[in-house]
Amino acid sequence: MRSAITVSLVPEANGGPFVFWNGFEDAFKQSAALGFDAVEIFPPGVEALDVTAIRALQNSTGLAVAAVGTGAGWVKHKLHLCHPDKSVREQARGFIGSIIRCAAELGAPAILGSMQGRVEPGVERAQAMDWLAEALRDAGALAQELGQVFLYEPLNRYETNLLNRQADAGAFIEERSLGGVKILADLFHMNIEETNLAEAVLAIGSHLGHVHFADSTRRAVGFGHTDVRPIYAALQTIGYQGYLSAEVLPLPSSQLAAERTIASFRALTNP
Ligand code: LER
Ligand code: MN
């Protein structure tokens, strides 16, 4: 497994669970100095992803891009995939498609988190689930064409009423035959929704594509009460080889959150 850490390029996401906030150059340099394997980027849109500059940083630091988030489509533009207005759903799909293409140029998958939306008042649940499935099918197919996967992230009940649990996301992918779609397991959301985090990992097995490595407090692992050891053992059991990516609050500071994350990662992977 490899380590990764998040950078937000979105001022409107201030207060959100991202470690670095001072641009991707600063994030690559600080992450490299601490020994991370990769950076996960939360951009406002593709216009902020200077592929040439990021590739140069990848080459000079040796770090990869672990994943690219799409959540600014919601945070900044209030777009989501289950909006009652068709034109909003279409714009949401366009925004996600543009991030999938750009992320693929950086060798990374895109993430569907808050852009999945929710079942809005006046919309039937079955209809919203169909819209979600259609969008995931197209996004997964596009990602596959570009040699990537598309990461679908179950969120906790306070952020969505679509799918909150890992096993439900796994069943949805199977029932709807969603090729190219993998699950992003965020330990913070799981701490709210799952009875047992390790068992939830075992239940989705090969559907797992990415992990948001966060403690119960949504701070760096080590600043809360989640026991990550049985979760790590479960990840090993299913043969997971992807990232443990710190999508956590920059508390008590970005530096200390990053240091604590890499220390926890090392203690876990190389005890
Ligand atoms: C995105 O990765 C996430 O975890 C969401 O909670 C953001 O709102
Ligand atoms: Mn997350």
mmCIF file of all heavy atoms in Angstrom, residues 6 13 15-19 40 42 111 113-114 153-156 158-159 184-192 211-226 245-253 257-258 260-261:
data_model
loop_
_atom_site.group_PDB
_atom_site.id
_atom_site.type_symbol
_atom_site.label_atom_id
_atom_site.label_comp_id
_atom_site.label_asym_id
_atom_site.label_seq_id
_atom_site.Cartn_x
_atom_site.Cartn_y
_atom_site.Cartn_z
ATOM 1 N N THR A 6 -3.797 14.995 0.884
ATOM 2 C CA THR A 6 -4.654 15.853 0.063
ATOM 3 C C THR A 6 -4.199 17.313 0.022
ATOM 4 O O THR A 6 -3.687 17.852 0.997
ATOM 5 C CB THR A 6 -6.093 15.836 0.612
ATOM 6 O OG1 THR A 6 -6.040 15.995 2.034
ATOM 7 C CG2 THR A 6 -6.802 14.547 0.280
ATOM 8 N N ALA A 13 -13.875 25.697 -0.161
ATOM 9 C CA ALA A 13 -13.902 24.474 0.658
ATOM 10 C C ALA A 13 -13.213 24.696 2.000
ATOM 11 O O ALA A 13 -12.993 23.740 2.751
ATOM 12 C CB ALA A 13 -13.231 23.325 -0.093
ATOM 13 N N GLY A 15 -12.204 25.027 5.625
ATOM 14 C CA GLY A 15 -12.828 24.318 6.741
ATOM 15 C C GLY A 15 -13.028 22.847 6.436
ATOM 16 O O GLY A 15 -13.406 22.072 7.305
ATOM 17 N N GLY A 16 -12.770 22.458 5.192
ATOM 18 C CA GLY A 16 -12.975 21.073 4.769
ATOM 19 C C GLY A 16 -11.771 20.189 5.082
ATOM 20 O O GLY A 16 -10.714 20.672 5.500
ATOM 21 N N PRO A 17 -11.931 18.886 4.856
ATOM 22 C CA PRO A 17 -10.913 17.904 5.267
ATOM 23 C C PRO A 17 -9.769 17.739 4.267
ATOM 24 O O PRO A 17 -9.616 16.686 3.650
ATOM 25 C CB PRO A 17 -11.731 16.617 5.376
ATOM 26 C CG PRO A 17 -12.765 16.775 4.312
ATOM 27 C CD PRO A 17 -13.109 18.233 4.254
ATOM 28 N N PHE A 18 -8.987 18.769 4.111
ATOM 29 C CA PHE A 18 -7.827 18.703 3.214
ATOM 30 C C PHE A 18 -6.615 19.229 3.977
ATOM 31 O O PHE A 18 -6.738 20.198 4.737
ATOM 32 C CB PHE A 18 -8.077 19.522 1.944
ATOM 33 C CG PHE A 18 -9.350 19.113 1.236
ATOM 34 C CD1 PHE A 18 -10.513 19.863 1.392
ATOM 35 C CD2 PHE A 18 -9.401 17.961 0.480
ATOM 36 C CE1 PHE A 18 -11.704 19.470 0.791
ATOM 37 C CE2 PHE A 18 -10.585 17.554 -0.123
ATOM 38 C CZ PHE A 18 -11.740 18.304 0.028
ATOM 39 N N VAL A 19 -5.471 18.609 3.758
ATOM 40 C CA VAL A 19 -4.302 18.949 4.584
ATOM 41 C C VAL A 19 -3.610 20.211 4.083
ATOM 42 O O VAL A 19 -3.357 21.141 4.847
ATOM 43 C CB VAL A 19 -3.319 17.764 4.653
ATOM 44 C CG1 VAL A 19 -2.067 18.144 5.452
ATOM 45 C CG2 VAL A 19 -4.004 16.554 5.287
ATOM 46 N N GLU A 40 -3.149 13.824 -3.481
ATOM 47 C CA GLU A 40 -4.524 13.769 -4.005
ATOM 48 C C GLU A 40 -5.025 15.205 -4.124
ATOM 49 O O GLU A 40 -4.953 15.965 -3.154
ATOM 50 C CB GLU A 40 -5.406 12.942 -3.058
ATOM 51 C CG GLU A 40 -6.850 12.896 -3.526
ATOM 52 C CD GLU A 40 -7.732 12.040 -2.622
ATOM 53 O OE1 GLU A 40 -7.297 10.963 -2.170
ATOM 54 O OE2 GLU A 40 -8.881 12.481 -2.375
ATOM 55 N N PHE A 42 -7.783 18.282 -4.932
ATOM 56 C CA PHE A 42 -9.187 18.726 -4.951
ATOM 57 C C PHE A 42 -9.201 20.081 -5.663
ATOM 58 O O PHE A 42 -8.927 21.117 -5.057
ATOM 59 C CB PHE A 42 -9.693 18.850 -3.505
ATOM 60 C CG PHE A 42 -11.155 19.159 -3.390
ATOM 61 C CD1 PHE A 42 -12.112 18.190 -3.617
ATOM 62 C CD2 PHE A 42 -11.589 20.433 -3.034
ATOM 63 C CE1 PHE A 42 -13.467 18.466 -3.495
ATOM 64 C CE2 PHE A 42 -12.950 20.722 -2.909
ATOM 65 C CZ PHE A 42 -13.885 19.738 -3.149
ATOM 66 N N ILE A 111 -12.729 11.019 -8.487
ATOM 67 C CA ILE A 111 -13.561 10.571 -7.362
ATOM 68 C C ILE A 111 -14.959 11.180 -7.465
ATOM 69 O O ILE A 111 -15.090 12.389 -7.691
ATOM 70 C CB ILE A 111 -12.947 11.071 -6.030
ATOM 71 C CG1 ILE A 111 -11.575 10.445 -5.789
ATOM 72 C CG2 ILE A 111 -13.895 10.812 -4.856
ATOM 73 C CD1 ILE A 111 -10.821 11.092 -4.613
ATOM 74 N N GLY A 113 -17.694 12.022 -4.932
ATOM 75 C CA GLY A 113 -18.090 12.131 -3.522
ATOM 76 C C GLY A 113 -19.364 12.952 -3.449
ATOM 77 O O GLY A 113 -20.454 12.469 -3.784
ATOM 78 N N SER A 114 -19.238 14.217 -3.081
ATOM 79 C CA SER A 114 -20.454 15.012 -2.865
ATOM 80 C C SER A 114 -21.235 15.298 -4.146
ATOM 81 O O SER A 114 -22.433 15.585 -4.072
ATOM 82 C CB SER A 114 -20.130 16.313 -2.129
ATOM 83 O OG SER A 114 -19.004 16.916 -2.657
ATOM 84 N N GLU A 153 -17.692 6.990 -3.893
ATOM 85 C CA GLU A 153 -17.488 7.069 -2.444
ATOM 86 C C GLU A 153 -18.816 7.121 -1.686
ATOM 87 O O GLU A 153 -19.528 8.126 -1.750
ATOM 88 C CB GLU A 153 -16.686 8.345 -2.140
ATOM 89 C CG GLU A 153 -16.416 8.546 -0.656
ATOM 90 C CD GLU A 153 -15.509 9.739 -0.377
ATOM 91 O OE1 GLU A 153 -15.302 10.572 -1.290
ATOM 92 O OE2 GLU A 153 -15.030 9.837 0.757
ATOM 93 N N PRO A 154 -19.158 6.068 -0.948
ATOM 94 C CA PRO A 154 -20.333 6.169 -0.070
ATOM 95 C C PRO A 154 -20.046 7.207 1.030
ATOM 96 O O PRO A 154 -18.976 7.183 1.638
ATOM 97 C CB PRO A 154 -20.454 4.764 0.547
ATOM 98 C CG PRO A 154 -19.614 3.874 -0.306
ATOM 99 C CD PRO A 154 -18.527 4.737 -0.877
ATOM 100 N N LEU A 155 -20.979 8.108 1.230
ATOM 101 C CA LEU A 155 -20.803 9.164 2.247
ATOM 102 C C LEU A 155 -21.735 8.878 3.419
ATOM 103 O O LEU A 155 -22.710 8.136 3.285
ATOM 104 C CB LEU A 155 -21.146 10.531 1.648
ATOM 105 C CG LEU A 155 -20.359 10.947 0.401
ATOM 106 C CD1 LEU A 155 -20.874 12.285 -0.123
ATOM 107 C CD2 LEU A 155 -18.860 11.020 0.670
ATOM 108 N N ASN A 156 -21.467 9.516 4.543
ATOM 109 C CA ASN A 156 -22.321 9.294 5.714
ATOM 110 C C ASN A 156 -23.697 9.954 5.535
ATOM 111 O O ASN A 156 -23.901 10.799 4.666
ATOM 112 C CB ASN A 156 -21.611 9.752 6.990
ATOM 113 C CG ASN A 156 -21.588 11.248 7.120
ATOM 114 O OD1 ASN A 156 -22.617 11.877 7.350
ATOM 115 N ND2 ASN A 156 -20.415 11.845 6.957
ATOM 116 N N TYR A 158 -25.324 12.226 6.853
ATOM 117 C CA TYR A 158 -25.506 13.674 6.926
ATOM 118 C C TYR A 158 -25.113 14.358 5.619
ATOM 119 O O TYR A 158 -25.331 15.547 5.446
ATOM 120 C CB TYR A 158 -24.715 14.259 8.109
ATOM 121 C CG TYR A 158 -25.052 13.562 9.402
ATOM 122 C CD1 TYR A 158 -24.145 12.695 10.008
ATOM 123 C CD2 TYR A 158 -26.309 13.717 9.989
ATOM 124 C CE1 TYR A 158 -24.476 12.013 11.171
ATOM 125 C CE2 TYR A 158 -26.655 13.038 11.138
ATOM 126 C CZ TYR A 158 -25.732 12.181 11.728
ATOM 127 O OH TYR A 158 -26.077 11.499 12.865
ATOM 128 N N GLU A 159 -24.509 13.596 4.701
ATOM 129 C CA GLU A 159 -24.073 14.168 3.416
ATOM 130 C C GLU A 159 -24.843 13.626 2.220
ATOM 131 O O GLU A 159 -24.893 14.252 1.174
ATOM 132 C CB GLU A 159 -22.571 13.945 3.210
ATOM 133 C CG GLU A 159 -21.743 14.686 4.251
ATOM 134 C CD GLU A 159 -20.257 14.679 3.947
ATOM 135 O OE1 GLU A 159 -19.882 14.729 2.766
ATOM 136 O OE2 GLU A 159 -19.477 14.616 4.901
ATOM 137 N N LEU A 184 -14.519 3.913 -3.135
ATOM 138 C CA LEU A 184 -13.603 4.654 -2.263
ATOM 139 C C LEU A 184 -14.142 4.507 -0.835
ATOM 140 O O LEU A 184 -15.258 4.946 -0.535
ATOM 141 C CB LEU A 184 -13.576 6.136 -2.668
ATOM 142 C CG LEU A 184 -12.472 7.015 -2.076
ATOM 143 C CD1 LEU A 184 -12.522 8.414 -2.680
ATOM 144 C CD2 LEU A 184 -12.455 7.107 -0.579
ATOM 145 N N ALA A 185 -13.348 3.880 0.022
ATOM 146 C CA ALA A 185 -13.750 3.672 1.417
ATOM 147 C C ALA A 185 -13.113 4.772 2.273
ATOM 148 O O ALA A 185 -11.894 4.831 2.414
ATOM 149 C CB ALA A 185 -13.270 2.303 1.892
ATOM 150 N N ASP A 186 -13.944 5.671 2.782
ATOM 151 C CA ASP A 186 -13.450 6.770 3.625
ATOM 152 C C ASP A 186 -13.685 6.362 5.079
ATOM 153 O O ASP A 186 -14.833 6.191 5.517
ATOM 154 C CB ASP A 186 -14.214 8.049 3.260
ATOM 155 C CG ASP A 186 -13.735 9.268 4.041
ATOM 156 O OD1 ASP A 186 -13.418 9.134 5.243
ATOM 157 O OD2 ASP A 186 -13.720 10.370 3.460
ATOM 158 N N LEU A 187 -12.603 6.187 5.819
ATOM 159 C CA LEU A 187 -12.716 5.663 7.191
ATOM 160 C C LEU A 187 -13.528 6.580 8.099
ATOM 161 O O LEU A 187 -14.107 6.120 9.081
ATOM 162 C CB LEU A 187 -11.327 5.421 7.790
ATOM 163 C CG LEU A 187 -10.382 4.495 7.012
ATOM 164 C CD1 LEU A 187 -9.111 4.229 7.832
ATOM 165 C CD2 LEU A 187 -11.040 3.185 6.629
ATOM 166 N N PHE A 188 -13.583 7.872 7.764
ATOM 167 C CA PHE A 188 -14.406 8.794 8.564
ATOM 168 C C PHE A 188 -15.897 8.494 8.369
ATOM 169 O O PHE A 188 -16.649 8.342 9.339
ATOM 170 C CB PHE A 188 -14.106 10.252 8.192
ATOM 171 C CG PHE A 188 -15.130 11.214 8.728
ATOM 172 C CD1 PHE A 188 -15.171 11.532 10.081
ATOM 173 C CD2 PHE A 188 -16.072 11.789 7.885
ATOM 174 C CE1 PHE A 188 -16.133 12.403 10.579
ATOM 175 C CE2 PHE A 188 -17.038 12.662 8.382
ATOM 176 C CZ PHE A 188 -17.064 12.971 9.730
ATOM 177 N N HIS A 189 -16.323 8.383 7.126
ATOM 178 C CA HIS A 189 -17.740 8.061 6.873
ATOM 179 C C HIS A 189 -18.079 6.681 7.439
ATOM 180 O O HIS A 189 -19.156 6.472 8.006
ATOM 181 C CB HIS A 189 -18.043 8.092 5.377
ATOM 182 C CG HIS A 189 -17.838 9.435 4.750
ATOM 183 N ND1 HIS A 189 -18.486 10.563 5.178
ATOM 184 C CD2 HIS A 189 -17.043 9.836 3.726
ATOM 185 C CE1 HIS A 189 -18.107 11.599 4.447
ATOM 186 N NE2 HIS A 189 -17.228 11.188 3.561
ATOM 187 N N MET A 190 -17.145 5.749 7.281
ATOM 188 C CA MET A 190 -17.382 4.381 7.757
ATOM 189 C C MET A 190 -17.531 4.331 9.270
ATOM 190 O O MET A 190 -18.295 3.532 9.804
ATOM 191 C CB MET A 190 -16.236 3.470 7.311
ATOM 192 C CG MET A 190 -16.229 3.230 5.808
ATOM 193 S SD MET A 190 -14.711 2.411 5.279
ATOM 194 C CE MET A 190 -14.971 0.763 5.928
ATOM 195 N N ASN A 191 -16.789 5.188 9.955
ATOM 196 C CA ASN A 191 -16.879 5.243 11.417
ATOM 197 C C ASN A 191 -18.299 5.591 11.870
ATOM 198 O O ASN A 191 -18.749 5.162 12.928
ATOM 199 C CB ASN A 191 -15.878 6.284 11.934
ATOM 200 C CG ASN A 191 -15.982 6.491 13.424
ATOM 201 O OD1 ASN A 191 -15.790 5.565 14.196
ATOM 202 N ND2 ASN A 191 -16.316 7.705 13.827
ATOM 203 N N ILE A 192 -19.011 6.339 11.029
ATOM 204 C CA ILE A 192 -20.401 6.699 11.351
ATOM 205 C C ILE A 192 -21.372 5.589 10.938
ATOM 206 O O ILE A 192 -22.333 5.300 11.651
ATOM 207 C CB ILE A 192 -20.765 8.035 10.651
ATOM 208 C CG1 ILE A 192 -19.888 9.160 11.201
ATOM 209 C CG2 ILE A 192 -22.258 8.362 10.803
ATOM 210 C CD1 ILE A 192 -19.974 10.467 10.420
ATOM 211 N N VAL A 211 -8.676 4.441 -0.549
ATOM 212 C CA VAL A 211 -9.053 4.600 0.857
ATOM 213 C C VAL A 211 -8.752 6.024 1.301
ATOM 214 O O VAL A 211 -7.655 6.542 1.035
ATOM 215 C CB VAL A 211 -8.278 3.598 1.752
ATOM 216 C CG1 VAL A 211 -8.526 3.890 3.234
ATOM 217 C CG2 VAL A 211 -8.670 2.155 1.427
ATOM 218 N N HIS A 212 -9.723 6.676 1.937
ATOM 219 C CA HIS A 212 -9.457 7.935 2.634
ATOM 220 C C HIS A 212 -9.116 7.578 4.080
ATOM 221 O O HIS A 212 -9.942 7.024 4.806
ATOM 222 C CB HIS A 212 -10.644 8.902 2.527
ATOM 223 C CG HIS A 212 -10.652 9.655 1.238
ATOM 224 N ND1 HIS A 212 -11.765 10.274 0.723
ATOM 225 C CD2 HIS A 212 -9.630 9.897 0.358
ATOM 226 C CE1 HIS A 212 -11.433 10.868 -0.425
ATOM 227 N NE2 HIS A 212 -10.146 10.642 -0.660
ATOM 228 N N PHE A 213 -7.885 7.892 4.436
ATOM 229 C CA PHE A 213 -7.246 7.440 5.673
ATOM 230 C C PHE A 213 -7.452 8.540 6.712
ATOM 231 O O PHE A 213 -6.715 9.535 6.733
ATOM 232 C CB PHE A 213 -5.770 7.228 5.337
ATOM 233 C CG PHE A 213 -4.921 6.565 6.371
ATOM 234 C CD1 PHE A 213 -5.225 5.305 6.857
ATOM 235 C CD2 PHE A 213 -3.762 7.183 6.828
ATOM 236 C CE1 PHE A 213 -4.390 4.677 7.780
ATOM 237 C CE2 PHE A 213 -2.927 6.572 7.750
ATOM 238 C CZ PHE A 213 -3.246 5.312 8.231
ATOM 239 N N ALA A 214 -8.481 8.365 7.543
ATOM 240 C CA ALA A 214 -8.860 9.408 8.494
ATOM 241 C C ALA A 214 -9.260 8.769 9.810
ATOM 242 O O ALA A 214 -9.778 7.648 9.834
ATOM 243 C CB ALA A 214 -10.048 10.195 7.940
ATOM 244 N N ASP A 215 -9.055 9.484 10.879
ATOM 245 C CA ASP A 215 -9.460 8.967 12.183
ATOM 246 C C ASP A 215 -10.932 9.309 12.458
ATOM 247 O O ASP A 215 -11.583 10.013 11.677
ATOM 248 C CB ASP A 215 -8.521 9.510 13.279
ATOM 249 C CG ASP A 215 -8.267 8.461 14.357
ATOM 250 O OD1 ASP A 215 -9.245 7.788 14.762
ATOM 251 O OD2 ASP A 215 -7.124 8.310 14.798
ATOM 252 N N SER A 216 -11.449 8.824 13.583
ATOM 253 C CA SER A 216 -12.854 9.029 13.939
ATOM 254 C C SER A 216 -13.217 10.514 14.003
ATOM 255 O O SER A 216 -14.359 10.896 13.740
ATOM 256 C CB SER A 216 -13.140 8.390 15.301
ATOM 257 O OG SER A 216 -12.216 8.908 16.253
ATOM 258 N N THR A 217 -12.260 11.331 14.331
ATOM 259 C CA THR A 217 -12.459 12.782 14.475
ATOM 260 C C THR A 217 -12.330 13.538 13.155
ATOM 261 O O THR A 217 -12.468 14.748 13.121
ATOM 262 C CB THR A 217 -11.366 13.342 15.400
ATOM 263 O OG1 THR A 217 -10.104 12.863 14.885
ATOM 264 C CG2 THR A 217 -11.528 12.861 16.835
ATOM 265 N N ARG A 218 -12.045 12.833 12.101
ATOM 266 C CA ARG A 218 -11.687 13.348 10.773
ATOM 267 C C ARG A 218 -10.354 14.109 10.803
ATOM 268 O O ARG A 218 -10.052 14.892 9.920
ATOM 269 C CB ARG A 218 -12.786 14.205 10.143
ATOM 270 C CG ARG A 218 -12.769 14.032 8.634
ATOM 271 C CD ARG A 218 -13.894 14.609 7.862
ATOM 272 N NE ARG A 218 -13.988 13.872 6.593
ATOM 273 C CZ ARG A 218 -14.828 14.141 5.620
ATOM 274 N NH1 ARG A 218 -15.680 15.137 5.731
ATOM 275 N NH2 ARG A 218 -14.842 13.416 4.524
ATOM 276 N N ARG A 219 -9.595 13.865 11.866
ATOM 277 C CA ARG A 219 -8.228 14.371 11.885
ATOM 278 C C ARG A 219 -7.303 13.243 11.405
ATOM 279 O O ARG A 219 -7.766 12.130 11.105
ATOM 280 C CB ARG A 219 -7.857 14.789 13.299
ATOM 281 C CG ARG A 219 -8.676 15.985 13.767
ATOM 282 C CD ARG A 219 -8.040 16.570 15.002
ATOM 283 N NE ARG A 219 -8.844 17.604 15.583
ATOM 284 C CZ ARG A 219 -8.402 18.413 16.548
ATOM 285 N NH1 ARG A 219 -7.177 18.283 17.026
ATOM 286 N NH2 ARG A 219 -9.187 19.345 17.032
ATOM 287 N N ALA A 220 -6.005 13.545 11.355
ATOM 288 C CA ALA A 220 -5.026 12.534 10.928
ATOM 289 C C ALA A 220 -5.157 11.285 11.785
ATOM 290 O O ALA A 220 -5.485 11.364 12.982
ATOM 291 C CB ALA A 220 -3.621 13.108 11.061
ATOM 292 N N VAL A 221 -4.896 10.134 11.168
ATOM 293 C CA VAL A 221 -4.923 8.878 11.930
ATOM 294 C C VAL A 221 -3.903 8.980 13.064
ATOM 295 O O VAL A 221 -2.741 9.311 12.845
ATOM 296 C CB VAL A 221 -4.630 7.675 11.005
ATOM 297 C CG1 VAL A 221 -4.395 6.404 11.824
ATOM 298 C CG2 VAL A 221 -5.782 7.488 10.024
ATOM 299 N N GLY A 222 -4.385 8.746 14.276
ATOM 300 C CA GLY A 222 -3.568 8.957 15.478
ATOM 301 C C GLY A 222 -4.170 10.049 16.351
ATOM 302 O O GLY A 222 -3.858 10.148 17.535
ATOM 303 N N PHE A 223 -5.069 10.865 15.762
ATOM 304 C CA PHE A 223 -5.728 11.940 16.512
ATOM 305 C C PHE A 223 -7.210 11.616 16.756
ATOM 306 O O PHE A 223 -8.065 12.499 16.719
ATOM 307 C CB PHE A 223 -5.632 13.269 15.759
ATOM 308 C CG PHE A 223 -4.257 13.893 15.719
ATOM 309 C CD1 PHE A 223 -3.852 14.594 14.586
ATOM 310 C CD2 PHE A 223 -3.391 13.829 16.796
ATOM 311 C CE1 PHE A 223 -2.598 15.202 14.530
ATOM 312 C CE2 PHE A 223 -2.128 14.431 16.747
ATOM 313 C CZ PHE A 223 -1.729 15.116 15.614
ATOM 314 N N GLY A 224 -7.503 10.321 16.964
ATOM 315 C CA GLY A 224 -8.893 9.929 17.212
ATOM 316 C C GLY A 224 -8.899 8.552 17.837
ATOM 317 O O GLY A 224 -7.868 8.107 18.341
ATOM 318 N N HIS A 225 -10.042 7.853 17.794
ATOM 319 C CA HIS A 225 -10.111 6.566 18.481
ATOM 320 C C HIS A 225 -10.351 5.378 17.555
ATOM 321 O O HIS A 225 -10.662 4.289 18.009
ATOM 322 C CB HIS A 225 -11.148 6.596 19.609
ATOM 323 C CG HIS A 225 -12.539 6.925 19.146
ATOM 324 N ND1 HIS A 225 -13.331 6.026 18.484
ATOM 325 C CD2 HIS A 225 -13.254 8.068 19.246
ATOM 326 C CE1 HIS A 225 -14.488 6.608 18.199
ATOM 327 N NE2 HIS A 225 -14.466 7.848 18.647
ATOM 328 N N THR A 226 -10.202 5.584 16.235
ATOM 329 C CA THR A 226 -10.315 4.431 15.334
ATOM 330 C C THR A 226 -9.068 3.555 15.465
ATOM 331 O O THR A 226 -7.948 4.075 15.414
ATOM 332 C CB THR A 226 -10.449 4.907 13.866
ATOM 333 O OG1 THR A 226 -11.665 5.658 13.735
ATOM 334 C CG2 THR A 226 -10.490 3.725 12.895
ATOM 335 N N SER A 245 -4.983 7.484 1.669
ATOM 336 C CA SER A 245 -4.842 8.909 1.354
ATOM 337 C C SER A 245 -5.479 9.752 2.450
ATOM 338 O O SER A 245 -6.673 9.605 2.740
ATOM 339 C CB SER A 245 -5.510 9.182 0.001
ATOM 340 O OG SER A 245 -5.312 10.520 -0.370
ATOM 341 N N ALA A 246 -4.686 10.638 3.033
ATOM 342 C CA ALA A 246 -5.154 11.421 4.183
ATOM 343 C C ALA A 246 -6.058 12.568 3.744
ATOM 344 O O ALA A 246 -5.593 13.652 3.392
ATOM 345 C CB ALA A 246 -3.962 11.974 4.959
ATOM 346 N N GLU A 247 -7.367 12.301 3.743
ATOM 347 C CA GLU A 247 -8.350 13.365 3.543
ATOM 348 C C GLU A 247 -8.835 13.735 4.948
ATOM 349 O O GLU A 247 -9.818 13.185 5.459
ATOM 350 C CB GLU A 247 -9.507 12.887 2.671
ATOM 351 C CG GLU A 247 -10.444 14.029 2.313
ATOM 352 C CD GLU A 247 -11.726 13.550 1.693
ATOM 353 O OE1 GLU A 247 -12.470 12.806 2.364
ATOM 354 O OE2 GLU A 247 -11.986 13.916 0.547
ATOM 355 N N VAL A 248 -8.078 14.631 5.559
ATOM 356 C CA VAL A 248 -8.312 14.970 6.975
ATOM 357 C C VAL A 248 -8.214 16.476 7.184
ATOM 358 O O VAL A 248 -7.646 17.200 6.359
ATOM 359 C CB VAL A 248 -7.290 14.255 7.892
ATOM 360 C CG1 VAL A 248 -7.407 12.742 7.756
ATOM 361 C CG2 VAL A 248 -5.856 14.699 7.622
ATOM 362 N N LEU A 249 -8.725 16.907 8.324
ATOM 363 C CA LEU A 249 -8.670 18.334 8.665
ATOM 364 C C LEU A 249 -7.222 18.753 8.951
ATOM 365 O O LEU A 249 -6.453 17.960 9.507
ATOM 366 C CB LEU A 249 -9.542 18.592 9.899
ATOM 367 C CG LEU A 249 -11.027 18.277 9.682
ATOM 368 C CD1 LEU A 249 -11.745 18.172 11.020
ATOM 369 C CD2 LEU A 249 -11.671 19.334 8.804
ATOM 370 N N PRO A 250 -6.885 19.979 8.594
ATOM 371 C CA PRO A 250 -5.502 20.447 8.799
ATOM 372 C C PRO A 250 -5.299 20.902 10.240
ATOM 373 O O PRO A 250 -4.944 22.056 10.505
ATOM 374 C CB PRO A 250 -5.387 21.606 7.805
ATOM 375 C CG PRO A 250 -6.771 22.161 7.724
ATOM 376 C CD PRO A 250 -7.709 20.984 7.901
ATOM 377 N N LEU A 251 -5.550 19.981 11.175
ATOM 378 C CA LEU A 251 -5.519 20.319 12.604
ATOM 379 C C LEU A 251 -4.547 19.425 13.360
ATOM 380 O O LEU A 251 -4.485 18.237 13.074
ATOM 381 C CB LEU A 251 -6.928 20.146 13.214
ATOM 382 C CG LEU A 251 -7.996 21.068 12.645
ATOM 383 C CD1 LEU A 251 -9.363 20.679 13.200
ATOM 384 C CD2 LEU A 251 -7.684 22.518 12.970
ATOM 385 N N PRO A 252 -3.808 19.920 14.310
ATOM 386 C CA PRO A 252 -3.778 21.322 14.745
ATOM 387 C C PRO A 252 -3.143 22.269 13.728
ATOM 388 O O PRO A 252 -3.303 23.482 13.830
ATOM 389 C CB PRO A 252 -2.956 21.273 16.036
ATOM 390 C CG PRO A 252 -2.123 20.049 15.925
ATOM 391 C CD PRO A 252 -2.925 19.069 15.123
ATOM 392 N N SER A 253 -2.451 21.716 12.719
ATOM 393 C CA SER A 253 -1.914 22.513 11.605
ATOM 394 C C SER A 253 -1.704 21.548 10.446
ATOM 395 O O SER A 253 -1.681 20.321 10.651
ATOM 396 C CB SER A 253 -0.569 23.143 11.994
ATOM 397 O OG SER A 253 0.394 22.110 12.202
ATOM 398 N N ALA A 257 -0.666 17.631 10.927
ATOM 399 C CA ALA A 257 -1.561 16.604 10.373
ATOM 400 C C ALA A 257 -0.787 15.710 9.402
ATOM 401 O O ALA A 257 -0.942 14.484 9.398
ATOM 402 C CB ALA A 257 -2.746 17.256 9.674
ATOM 403 N N ALA A 258 0.073 16.328 8.590
ATOM 404 C CA ALA A 258 0.864 15.559 7.622
ATOM 405 C C ALA A 258 1.876 14.671 8.346
ATOM 406 O O ALA A 258 2.022 13.484 8.020
ATOM 407 C CB ALA A 258 1.570 16.514 6.663
ATOM 408 N N ARG A 260 1.754 13.524 11.405
ATOM 409 C CA ARG A 260 1.078 12.455 12.140
ATOM 410 C C ARG A 260 0.603 11.358 11.187
ATOM 411 O O ARG A 260 0.661 10.168 11.496
ATOM 412 C CB ARG A 260 -0.107 13.054 12.916
ATOM 413 C CG ARG A 260 -0.721 12.105 13.904
ATOM 414 C CD ARG A 260 0.288 11.774 15.000
ATOM 415 N NE ARG A 260 -0.183 10.723 15.855
ATOM 416 C CZ ARG A 260 -0.297 10.804 17.187
ATOM 417 N NH1 ARG A 260 0.066 11.897 17.812
ATOM 418 N NH2 ARG A 260 -0.734 9.805 17.890
ATOM 419 N N THR A 261 0.123 11.781 10.017
ATOM 420 C CA THR A 261 -0.336 10.799 9.025
ATOM 421 C C THR A 261 0.792 9.882 8.587
ATOM 422 O O THR A 261 0.639 8.653 8.573
ATOM 423 C CB THR A 261 -0.926 11.511 7.786
ATOM 424 O OG1 THR A 261 -2.110 12.204 8.171
ATOM 425 C CG2 THR A 261 -1.254 10.519 6.680
#
